[in-house]
């Protein structure tokens, strides 16, 4: 199958943007439902508080990471994230250590116990995804992955717009 390299025209973007926005809002809403989180945690065999596991995964994927950067990355308040990371540390899932370049700043890093928990979450997420996508063609799935990466990269590269 040939993929067109022709750029999208503004008129087409403006016409389709509401549907894209609705789709993204639907996905975000569905992915953030408490019952979905509970199902994922149960499938992973974890009894972790729902609010903590996205932080744990974020630290595993992007760590070592400072709390401010982690909070910015998930759109939560720094003080809330700081308390939640402290809770993860109490549970032995992460450890916090001074930043090598600035001892005043502490970064979070995953522990072996935390890595085992994120591995279990990954396996549970894989099982859920395989079930959801079982009727998709390989081409459709590959296009989804490629286009989502392209969209995420475009958002990340875009300068912040002043209101």
């Amino acid at each position: 199958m040939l993929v067109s390299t022709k750029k999208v025209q503004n008129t087409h973007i403006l016409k389709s943007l509401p549907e894209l926005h609705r789709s993204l809002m639907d996905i975000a809403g569905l992915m953030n439902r408490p019952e979905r989180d509970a199902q994922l945690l149960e499938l992973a065999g974890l009894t972790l508080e729902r609010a903590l596991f996205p932080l744990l995964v974020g630290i595993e994927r992007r760590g070592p990471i400072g709390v401010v950067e982690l909070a910015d990355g998930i759109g939560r308040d720094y003080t809330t994230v700081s308390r939640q990371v402290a809770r993860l540390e109490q549970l032995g899932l992460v450890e916090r250590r001074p930043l090598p370049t600035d001892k005043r700043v502490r970064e979070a890093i995953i522990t072996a116990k935390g890595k085992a928990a994120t591995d279990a979450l990954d396996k549970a997420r894989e099982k859920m995804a395989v079930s959801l996508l079982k009727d998709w063609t390989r081409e459709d799935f590959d296009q989804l992955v490629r286009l989502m990466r392209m969209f995420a990269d475009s958002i990340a590269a875009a300068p912040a717009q002043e209101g």
Side-chain angles (χ1 to χ4, degrees):
M1 171 162 106
L2 291 174
V3 176
S4 173
T5 57
K6 194 159 90 174
K7 300 291 183 192
V8 177
Q9 299 297 315
N10 284 350
T11 307
H12 185 71
I13 291 172
L14 294 175
K15 181 180 173 195
S16 299
L17 199 55
E19 184 57 31
L20 174 62
H21 186 253
R22 275 191 298 280
S23 297
L24 291 171
M25 295 300 292
D26 287 349
I27 291 168
L30 291 165
M31 297 291 290
N32 289 319
R33 283 188 173 168
E35 56 272 12
R36 189 168 306 270
D37 290 348
Q39 180 186 15
L40 183 63
L41 287 167
E42 183 179 337
L43 200 54
L46 299 173
T47 56
L48 192 61
E49 299 162 45
R50 262 189 60 236
L52 298 180
F53 89 83
L55 294 172
L56 180 64
V57 171
I59 292 166
E60 191 267 330
R61 302 286 194 271
R62 300 173 55 213
I65 187 170
V67 172
V68 172
E69 184 182 353
L70 182 62
D72 285 346
I74 59 169
R76 291 190 192 165
D77 178 68
Y78 159 78
T79 56
T80 301
V81 171
S82 182
R83 283 192 302 274
Q84 291 170 329
V85 171
R87 180 73 180 123
L88 288 169
E89 187 175 33
Q90 289 172 346
L91 295 169
L93 300 170
V94 302
E95 60 183 53
R96 292 188 294 180
R97 63 183 186 200
L99 195 66
T101 56
D102 185 347
K103 301 295 182 201
R104 297 169 296 170
V105 178
R106 295 180 61 185
E107 61 186 3
I109 188 165
I110 197 88
T111 63
K113 182 178 177 183
K115 179 69 171 121
T118 60
D119 287 350
L121 285 165
D122 288 344
K123 291 221 181 302
R125 195 175 286 111
E126 286 172 8
K127 187 173 184 177
M128 290 172 76
V130 166
S131 175
L132 287 170
L133 300 167
K134 70 180 181 291
D135 296 327
W136 285 48
T137 67
R138 180 182 187 138
E139 292 79 18
D140 285 345
F141 180 74
D142 290 348
Q143 276 192 352
L144 174 68
V145 171
R146 182 183 66 77
L147 293 171
M148 291 298 289
R149 179 73 269 151
M150 191 167 94
F151 186 55
D153 291 345
S154 293
I155 292 170
Q161 300 288 319
E162 298 271 334

